[in-house]
Amino acid sequence: MATNPDPTTNLESTISTGLSITDNDLNDLIKIQGDLVRKLKADKAPSEQITEAVDKLKNLKKELTDRQAANGEESTAGGEKLLKTPRGTRDYHPDQMKIREQVFRIIIDCFKQHGAETIDTPVIELTSLLTEKYGEDSKLIYELKDQGGAEQLALRYDLTVPFARYIAQNRIATMKRYHIGKVYRRDNPKMNRGRYREFYQCDFDIAGDFDLMVPDSECIKIVVEILDKLDLGQYKIFVNHRKLLDAIFAVCGVPDSHFRPISSSVDKLDKTPWSVVRNEMIHEKGLSPEIADKIWSYVQMHGNADLVDKLRTDAQLMALKSASEALNGLEVLFRYLTLYGVMDKIIFDLKLARGLDYYTGVIFEAVLTEYQYDPQLGDDQVAVGSVAGGGRYDELVHKIDPRQRRVPCIGASIGVERIFAIKEHQMAQSKMQTKTIETEVYVASAQKNLIEERMKLCSYLWTNGFKAEMALKRNPKMLDQLQYCEKNQIELCVIIGSAELQAGIVKIRDVQTREEFEIPRGQLVEQLRAYLTKVRQRPQESSSKTNNN
Amino acid sequence: MATNPDPTTNLESTISTGLSITDNDLNDLIKIQGDLVRKLKADKAPSEQITEAVDKLKNLKKELTDRQAANGEESTAGGEKLLKTPRGTRDYHPDQMKIREQVFRIIIDCFKQHGAETIDTPVIELTSLLTEKYGEDSKLIYELKDQGGAEQLALRYDLTVPFARYIAQNRIATMKRYHIGKVYRRDNPKMNRGRYREFYQCDFDIAGDFDLMVPDSECIKIVVEILDKLDLGQYKIFVNHRKLLDAIFAVCGVPDSHFRPISSSVDKLDKTPWSVVRNEMIHEKGLSPEIADKIWSYVQMHGNADLVDKLRTDAQLMALKSASEALNGLEVLFRYLTLYGVMDKIIFDLKLARGLDYYTGVIFEAVLTEYQYDPQLGDDQVAVGSVAGGGRYDELVHKIDPRQRRVPCIGASIGVERIFAIKEHQMAQSKMQTKTIETEVYVASAQKNLIEERMKLCSYLWTNGFKAEMALKRNPKMLDQLQYCEKNQIELCVIIGSAELQAGIVKIRDVQTREEFEIPRGQLVEQLRAYLTKVRQRPQESSSKTNNN
């Protein structure tokens, strides 16, 4: 036990001091304690030690269940009903929607620039389609209650399996498509790091029997273009090949049946120290320490295209046809990525494994340098891990298709929720106020009983294509109307009064400068257009300055 | 029985002749037969007649269950696995996505023109939020399986209840927002009429304590603007007031507790003859025939603003404060709608009831004249019923809010799936081929071993903002490349060869006219931009003509 200082103590003392512990913290504690129990059992520790650890685990689980039950009843201690979205989900507020709109716009433009078309598939799929496609993660699939229909239904876990179904069902031979939609995972959410139970995926895939690494290099090129345009700072794209990884496992002596579970363990090495992963390989997945250590000697390796040559000197590895094929493929890929001018972003990294079962070739993952996860810092950092990833999956359509057609595929997925989290963080730090409505002309009046005149004028402006609004009160206060304009950064305000109406004129107010001027009613449309152009050419000042005027 | 010719016979004979009967047909048969059984029982018909009808109902239900079970097992008679989306859902293909994009663009632009901001809420909500909000329709809510979490979850049934939760949870006093998202109903789908189990809703709502009918008239004005811009032909907007309808029920002698169920019956009058609805009111909902017939004498009435004056002469009705208030409101509404220039579209119709429980004031529904449902024609028509609807719901936030704040709301919902169905129908009839990709320049080569040159050129074009593509083969055939351009209506094709490369020139091909010309490599960007402008100014010819060239 001396070499295993109890990692739960800190959080426990936090609990005892009454500081706020989140459900996520509790889940982490449970995980750590569970690992300890497994280790003690595997090490055949004294039974009282095991019992103590098990009791502690039970208490932690009970604490979590109690909390969740309390939430489930939707009442606070005071008995007041609590309104909330389901665990791991969130509402998007208007300012967040603005960010989402901008991020999607950049990404979709990139996909379209590469000739992609788009499809949509249902959020619900037959459960039978989803089972046995995700390996260890299948337990995270949300299923629907049996309410008397004949179909067993589940919420989609990603957009890739539905895409493979689409390709198979419609007998498609080639397709370049993007798809943006929500997917669902009963995962342990870490919402401040952009990890939700309901989240957007944003996928680009190329299906079809094309030539070696041509679609693969385009997928990686697109990821680079998107990350550059999103302006998220420095990043690296880690690349590996599933066939190479499997060859390494074979060379190390891992039995075939253990390739995918061991691959899952290797996948954790970006966030978990080798000692923990080694432990898992040996005690949970049944490898011998020698095999585990031999794997470690390989998966530590990373570099650039030169690593291909270095691995080619490994006779044991090169004896496997799949290894030399994978290395030939990677050589071509790196050549194409050089032509595409993006090779400086690439790290060939043997510990990149990717979680999902269905990959069969090149795999990749983009990580932002500035927002890399630091295990030391815990949950408070805005660290998002990978912001894009993908890989080749040549067997998925074949596995799904009743006609057993083989349609090789490669795809890239942009981790938009994590990108939203970063953009929201940047926005909060800049203290810029987001303009969430697009109104450009506000119709106001200082006098009573002019609602019908305001309505007629609004209607006239709508007909002429202006984005226009007015107060929805019969007799609104002038101050309220002007404050609304300033708060929402509306460019112009048209002010009407009975004197102006009689004289056939209207007053226009420049909301930012607060200047006012009168124009003939008959010139309203042209004058508003001209003033809007003028106002928009003015150098943008931050809204906080405007508010201090 | 002589006055009740068996309506199921036709469909039954279709079954016996082996023509294809859909599940929807079967569901209709079951409904009709169920009504007959209920009627026979209510009429105390001879028991052998009842037994015969019940047996027939059982057989129909068994037929449906067998079919659904067969689908559930996902195998055809031949044992081949069948791929499909869940019942009542569909994939959107690229050409359908194009229509969807265009329809959403028009609608969103309208919402933004009126100063609306947008939010998004999760597709899953706590079940407790959704219960008791939808009256008789609550049985149609999809629930999630209990997989060990503490929360009971369900798929959202509309966007209105989540909006009310959002307003309550975030303590919002006023908001003008739109929300586009998928909702879920375990309904009997009629997919050719745009009725799905998973479908988009497209809502605009105004929350806040504003003045009488000001937000209400803006909601109806927006519906008119959207339907005009969508160019769906003639339409009418039916308007009524829930308080007026309730006052009518009170005057007719309906007990308070029966208002909502009877309202549900009245709501069916657009598709169901009075005799059937009357039957339901008497035998299922327990009204006396006299009360039912008195209701009928009212709900037949429809007209324009004059109907307000006519109803004001009804002393029995005007004795109820709620009736006179409702009529005063409608008078103001019709005045505002006149100012907005849309009163010619409005029909004040006393039989409009709207299905949902939560409405408390003005209700409305837009119906396309050309695509009105004709019960005589059955399921093969492209009849879509209402394409927009909405109403005032002043109590929903109050009911949900633990702090019991009262935030009056009114909303309009655009029935986009039905609009997609019409647009797809129009597109199919026009035989126009939809351009589903936006590629404007294709990089081709007639010679072998130029893949790297094509990649470099594509990369250069992407960098310069062009939407560009190339074949993903090392040595594609020239014919395949040109056919791809023509099929996808790509404007220009850049053709490279080793001779051109050495000479520092490239060949540009105008895909539609098939003209080719050479330009210096250094002028590529400017020349492509100029030619694209020129090609786009050319009068659009139908793609079928292009294909016949």
Side-chain angles (χ1 to χ4, degrees):
Chain A
M1 285 288 284
T3 56
N4 272 300
D6 188 339
T8 61
T9 310
N10 272 345
L11 278 170
E12 276 185 328
S13 64
T14 321
I15 292 184
S16 65
T17 59
L19 291 176
S20 78
I21 288 286
T22 65
D23 285 3
N24 290 344
D25 294 332
L26 264 176
N27 269 309
D28 289 349
L29 279 172
I30 287 166
K31 201 179 166 313
I32 293 166
Q33 189 69 16
D35 289 342
L36 177 66
V37 168
R38 272 186 293 277
K39 188 179 176 345
L40 290 172
K41 284 181 178 170
D43 293 347
K44 300 198 195 311
S47 70
E48 64 272 20
Q49 221 176 346
I50 296 181
T51 311
E52 190 194 320
V54 168
D55 284 348
K56 197 164 147 190
L57 179 61
K58 281 184 186 162
N59 283 338
L60 288 168
K61 283 185 176 171
K62 187 175 176 307
E63 161 80 0
L64 182 66
T65 316
D66 288 350
R67 279 163 176 252
Q68 290 177 337
N71 289 342
E73 287 161 15
E74 279 174 66
S75 54
T76 60
E80 189 183 90
K81 260 170 68 196
L82 197 76
L83 283 179
K84 62 189 207 73
T85 63
R87 185 165 134 79
T89 69
R90 61 160 171 171
D91 293 322
Y92 287 84
H93 303 291
D95 51 345
Q96 295 171 318
M97 288 299 282
K98 227 32 209 195
I99 291 173
R100 193 172 112 177
E101 234 176 80
Q102 287 158 357
V103 169
F104 279 158
R105 180 46 45 217
I106 288 171
I107 294 172
I108 291 172
D109 282 349
C110 250
F111 292 157
K112 286 186 173 173
Q113 222 193 339
H114 284 258
E117 45 194 3
T118 188
I119 64 166
D120 192 19
T121 66
V123 167
I124 43 182
E125 290 275 0
L126 298 177
T127 309
S128 55
L129 176 74
L130 305 187
T131 44
E132 293 177 26
K133 304 299 186 303
Y134 301 106
E136 290 182 4
D137 289 341
S138 290
K139 61 182 184 296
L140 304 180
I141 295 172
Y142 277 100
E143 292 179 48
L144 266 65
K145 197 184 269 186
D146 182 354
Q147 292 172 283
E151 298 174 335
Q152 298 293 317
L153 303 174
L155 302 186
R156 65 183 172 202
Y157 181 84
D158 65 6
L159 302 178
T160 309
V161 170
F163 176 59
R165 175 193 52 74
Y166 182 85
I167 292 289
Q169 188 175 329
N170 296 287
R171 308 181 192 208
I172 291 167
T174 63
M175 185 175 209
K176 207 188 241 189
R177 83 90 182 78
Y178 70 90
H179 185 185
I180 295 180
K182 286 178 174 177
V183 301
Y184 298 82
R185 298 185 183 179
R186 294 176 52 252
D187 212 343
N188 184 16
K190 299 213 187 290
M191 319 231 299
N192 56 339
R193 295 219 304 273
R195 210 165 99 189
Y196 296 88
R197 290 182 155 193
E198 172 187 69
F199 59 98
Y200 267 98
Q201 276 199 340
C202 200
D203 282 16
F204 173 92
D205 293 80
I206 300 176
D209 195 5
F210 298 112
D211 279 336
L212 183 68
M213 296 297 160
V214 186
D216 311 58
S217 55
E218 186 168 2
C219 279
I220 293 174
K221 166 76 170 155
I222 283 183
V223 169
V224 170
E225 287 179 2
I226 288 172
L227 293 180
D228 284 350
K229 284 192 181 135
L230 286 172
D231 197 17
L232 299 164
Q234 298 255 299
Y235 60 91
K236 287 288 172 197
I237 298 179
F238 298 90
V239 174
N240 199 3
H241 197 296
R242 268 281 169 92
K243 287 215 170 72
L244 179 64
L245 204 54
D246 285 357
I248 288 169
F249 294 151
V251 163
C252 294
V254 178
D256 284 21
S257 59
H258 283 47
F259 282 4
R260 290 286 69 77
I262 293 303
S263 187
S264 275
S265 299
V266 170
D267 187 49
K268 293 172 185 161
L269 282 169
D270 56 338
K271 292 205 190 89
T272 318
W274 165 242
S275 58
V276 176
V277 172
R278 181 176 186 274
N279 213 36
E280 181 181 300
M281 284 181 174
I282 296 168
H283 298 117
E284 286 180 39
K285 308 208 167 159
L287 289 194
S288 74
E290 296 70 36
I291 293 180
D293 292 332
K294 193 161 182 195
I295 293 174
W296 178 234
S297 73
Y298 275 105
V299 298
Q300 289 175 78
M301 289 191 244
H302 58 272
N304 52 23
D306 294 347
L307 183 53
V308 173
D309 297 326
K310 184 178 166 194
L311 288 168
R312 278 182 173 148
T313 64
D314 183 331
Q316 213 187 345
L317 192 60
M318 295 308 287
L320 291 171
K321 198 171 153 237
S322 60
S324 66
E325 278 176 1
L327 288 172
N328 292 346
L330 287 169
E331 185 178 32
V332 174
L333 176 71
F334 295 148
R335 168 82 189 134
Y336 289 165
L337 292 176
T338 306
L339 292 172
Y340 277 154
V342 302
M343 196 56 206
D344 58 317
K345 309 277 202 285
I346 307 295
I347 293 175
F348 175 21
D349 187 353
L350 290 188
K351 78 170 181 297
L352 178 74
R354 303 280 297 159
L356 295 168
D357 259 24
Y358 48 62
Y359 291 121
T360 57
V362 166
I363 45 178
F364 57 91
E365 205 165 282
V367 176
L368 301 181
T369 317
E370 202 179 326
Y371 296 91
Q372 231 162 333
Y373 182 70
D374 180 350
Q376 305 292 320
L377 291 177
D379 268 358
D380 280 339
Q381 54 190 324
V382 188
V384 294
S386 76
V387 288
R392 177 161 283 286
Y393 51 102
D394 285 349
E395 302 301 329
L396 190 57
V397 173
H398 175 250
K399 192 171 169 184
I400 285 171
D401 193 341
R403 293 166 209 95
Q404 309 227 309
R405 285 185 323 129
R406 179 162 275 131
V407 183
C409 297
I410 176 139
S413 188
I414 310 297
V416 282
E417 299 286 349
R418 295 168 176 198
I419 292 166
F420 299 155
I422 292 169
K423 288 283 172 194
E424 283 169 25
H425 179 71
Q426 287 175 347
M427 193 63 77
Q429 290 202 316
S430 79
K431 295 200 173 60
M432 280 274 286
Q433 209 182 320
T434 316
K435 187 167 152 71
T436 58
I437 63 170
E438 297 186 6
T439 308
E440 48 199 12
V441 183
Y442 193 85
V443 176
S445 174
Q447 291 170 317
K448 289 196 172 181
N449 301 323
L450 286 178
I451 183 162
E452 299 197 351
E453 293 299 331
R454 284 188 288 128
M455 280 185 161
K456 281 196 278 184
L457 192 50
C458 259
S459 194
Y460 177 73
L461 293 174
W462 289 327
T463 305
N464 282 282
F466 289 99
K467 294 171 182 160
E469 259 193 291
M470 58 173 229
L472 299 175
K473 297 263 189 188
R474 289 187 67 82
N475 297 310
K477 290 182 188 142
M478 193 63 199
L479 187 65
D480 291 346
Q481 298 174 77
L482 293 180
Q483 275 176 346
Y484 183 88
C485 292
E486 296 198 356
K487 180 170 169 285
N488 289 290
Q489 302 170 52
I490 296 171
E491 285 91 345
L492 299 177
C493 183
V494 177
I495 302 170
I496 54 174
S498 48
E500 287 91 345
L501 283 169
Q502 278 193 333
I505 53 171
V506 287
K507 196 186 279 175
I508 297 183
R509 181 185 169 102
D510 182 327
V511 176
Q512 201 187 349
T513 65
R514 299 182 174 179
E515 288 172 284
E516 294 184 351
F517 31 87
E518 289 178 345
I519 57 160
R521 175 73 175 72
Q523 294 176 16
L524 185 61
V525 167
E526 303 75 54
Q527 295 275 5
L528 282 178
R529 287 208 182 111
Y531 279 113
L532 278 175
T533 309
K534 198 178 124 191
V535 168
R536 283 175 187 152
Q537 282 164 350
R538 192 181 291 159
Q540 277 302 304
E541 305 189 50
S542 91
S543 58
S544 54
K545 192 170 170 195
T546 311
N547 290 343
N548 291 338
N549 270 354
Chain B
M1 282 289 284
T3 56
N4 273 299
D6 187 341
T8 61
T9 310
N10 272 345
L11 277 170
E12 276 185 328
S13 64
T14 321
I15 292 184
S16 65
T17 58
L19 291 176
S20 78
I21 288 285
T22 65
D23 285 4
N24 290 344
D25 294 332
L26 264 176
N27 270 308
D28 289 349
L29 280 173
I30 288 166
K31 199 175 166 315
I32 292 166
Q33 189 68 17
D35 288 341
L36 178 65
V37 168
R38 273 185 295 275
K39 187 176 175 349
L40 289 172
K41 285 180 180 171
D43 294 345
K44 301 200 195 311
S47 70
E48 63 273 19
Q49 220 176 345
I50 296 182
T51 311
E52 191 195 319
V54 168
D55 284 348
K56 197 165 149 189
L57 179 62
K58 280 183 186 163
N59 284 337
L60 287 168
K61 283 187 177 170
K62 186 174 175 308
E63 161 79 358
L64 182 66
T65 316
D66 289 348
R67 278 161 177 252
Q68 289 177 337
N71 289 343
E73 286 163 13
E74 278 175 65
S75 54
T76 60
E80 190 182 271
K81 261 169 70 196
L82 195 78
L83 284 179
K84 63 190 206 71
T85 62
R87 184 166 135 78
T89 70
R90 60 161 172 172
D91 293 323
Y92 288 83
H93 302 291
D95 51 345
Q96 296 172 317
M97 288 300 283
K98 220 52 205 186
I99 292 172
R100 190 172 116 178
E101 234 177 80
Q102 287 157 358
V103 169
F104 279 157
R105 181 45 46 219
I106 289 170
I107 295 172
I108 290 172
D109 282 351
C110 249
F111 291 157
K112 286 185 173 173
Q113 223 194 338
H114 284 258
E117 44 194 4
T118 187
I119 65 165
D120 193 18
T121 65
V123 167
I124 42 182
E125 290 275 0
L126 299 177
T127 309
S128 55
L129 176 74
L130 306 187
T131 44
E132 292 177 27
K133 304 299 185 304
Y134 301 105
E136 290 182 3
D137 290 342
S138 290
K139 62 181 184 295
L140 304 180
I141 295 172
Y142 277 100
E143 292 180 48
L144 266 65
K145 196 182 270 186
D146 181 356
Q147 292 172 284
E151 298 173 334
Q152 298 293 318
L153 303 174
L155 302 186
R156 64 184 172 201
Y157 181 84
D158 66 5
L159 302 177
T160 309
V161 170
F163 176 58
R165 175 193 51 73
Y166 181 86
I167 292 289
Q169 188 175 330
N170 296 288
R171 307 180 194 208
I172 290 167
T174 63
M175 184 174 210
K176 207 189 243 189
R177 84 90 182 77
Y178 70 91
H179 185 185
I180 295 180
K182 287 178 175 178
V183 302
Y184 298 83
R185 299 184 183 178
R186 294 178 51 253
D187 212 342
N188 183 17
K190 300 215 188 288
M191 319 230 302
N192 57 339
R193 296 220 302 272
R195 209 165 100 190
Y196 297 88
R197 290 183 154 193
E198 172 187 72
F199 60 98
Y200 267 97
Q201 277 200 339
C202 199
D203 282 15
F204 172 93
D205 293 80
I206 300 176
D209 196 5
F210 298 113
D211 279 337
L212 183 68
M213 296 297 159
V214 187
D216 311 56
S217 55
E218 186 168 1
C219 280
I220 293 175
K221 166 76 170 153
I222 283 183
V223 170
V224 170
E225 287 179 1
I226 288 172
L227 294 181
D228 284 349
K229 284 192 181 134
L230 286 173
D231 198 16
L232 299 164
Q234 298 255 300
Y235 59 92
K236 286 289 173 195
I237 298 180
F238 297 89
V239 174
N240 199 3
H241 197 296
R242 268 283 169 91
K243 286 212 172 74
L244 179 64
L245 204 54
D246 286 357
I248 287 171
F249 295 151
V251 163
C252 295
V254 178
D256 284 21
S257 60
H258 283 47
F259 282 4
R260 290 286 68 76
I262 292 304
S263 187
S264 276
S265 299
V266 170
D267 188 50
K268 293 171 185 162
L269 281 170
D270 57 337
K271 290 204 190 90
T272 317
W274 166 244
S275 59
V276 176
V277 172
R278 182 177 186 272
N279 213 36
E280 181 182 300
M281 285 182 175
I282 296 168
H283 298 117
E284 286 180 38
K285 308 206 168 159
L287 289 195
S288 73
E290 296 70 36
I291 293 179
D293 292 332
K294 193 161 183 195
I295 293 174
W296 179 234
S297 72
Y298 276 105
V299 298
Q300 289 175 76
M301 289 190 243
H302 59 271
N304 52 23
D306 294 346
L307 183 52
V308 173
D309 297 326
K310 184 179 168 193
L311 288 167
R312 277 179 174 150
T313 65
D314 182 331
Q316 213 187 345
L317 192 60
M318 294 309 287
L320 292 172
K321 199 171 153 233
S322 60
S324 66
E325 279 177 1
L327 288 172
N328 291 345
L330 287 169
E331 185 178 31
V332 174
L333 177 70
F334 295 148
R335 168 83 190 133
Y336 290 165
L337 292 177
T338 306
L339 291 172
Y340 277 153
V342 302
M343 197 56 206
D344 59 317
K345 309 278 202 283
I346 307 295
I347 293 176
F348 174 21
D349 186 353
L350 290 187
K351 78 169 180 297
L352 178 73
R354 303 279 298 157
L356 296 167
D357 260 24
Y358 48 62
Y359 291 121
T360 57
V362 165
I363 47 178
F364 57 90
E365 206 165 283
V367 176
L368 302 182
T369 317
E370 202 179 326
Y371 297 92
Q372 231 162 333
Y373 182 68
D374 180 350
Q376 305 293 322
L377 292 177
D379 268 358
D380 281 338
Q381 55 190 323
V382 188
V384 294
S386 77
V387 289
R392 177 161 283 286
Y393 50 102
D394 286 349
E395 302 301 330
L396 190 57
V397 174
H398 176 251
K399 191 171 171 185
I400 285 171
D401 193 342
R403 292 166 210 93
Q404 308 226 307
R405 284 186 323 128
R406 179 161 275 129
V407 183
C409 297
I410 177 139
S413 188
I414 310 296
V416 283
E417 299 287 350
R418 296 168 175 198
I419 292 166
F420 299 155
I422 292 168
K423 288 282 173 197
E424 283 168 25
H425 178 71
Q426 288 175 346
M427 193 64 79
Q429 290 203 313
S430 79
K431 297 199 170 63
M432 281 274 286
Q433 209 181 321
T434 316
K435 187 167 152 73
T436 59
I437 62 170
E438 297 186 6
T439 309
E440 49 199 12
V441 184
Y442 192 86
V443 176
S445 176
Q447 291 171 316
K448 289 196 171 183
N449 301 324
L450 286 178
I451 183 163
E452 299 197 351
E453 294 300 330
R454 285 188 288 127
M455 280 183 160
K456 280 195 280 185
L457 192 51
C458 259
S459 193
Y460 177 73
L461 293 175
W462 289 327
T463 305
N464 283 282
F466 289 99
K467 294 171 182 160
E469 258 194 292
M470 58 174 229
L472 300 176
K473 297 263 188 185
R474 289 187 66 82
N475 297 311
K477 289 183 189 140
M478 194 62 200
L479 187 65
D480 291 346
Q481 297 173 80
L482 294 180
Q483 275 176 346
Y484 183 88
C485 292
E486 296 198 355
K487 180 171 169 285
N488 289 289
Q489 303 169 51
I490 296 171
E491 285 91 344
L492 300 176
C493 181
V494 177
I495 302 170
I496 54 174
S498 48
E500 286 90 345
L501 283 169
Q502 278 193 335
I505 54 170
V506 288
K507 195 186 282 176
I508 298 184
R509 180 185 170 100
D510 182 326
V511 175
Q512 201 188 347
T513 66
R514 298 183 174 178
E515 288 171 283
E516 294 185 350
F517 31 86
E518 289 180 343
I519 58 161
R521 175 73 175 72
Q523 293 176 17
L524 185 60
V525 167
E526 303 75 51
Q527 294 276 5
L528 282 178
R529 287 208 182 110
Y531 278 112
L532 279 175
T533 310
K534 198 178 125 192
V535 168
R536 281 172 190 154
Q537 282 165 349
R538 192 180 294 159
Q540 279 300 305
E541 304 189 50
S542 90
S543 58
S544 54
K545 190 170 171 194
T546 309
N547 289 343
N548 290 338
N549 272 354

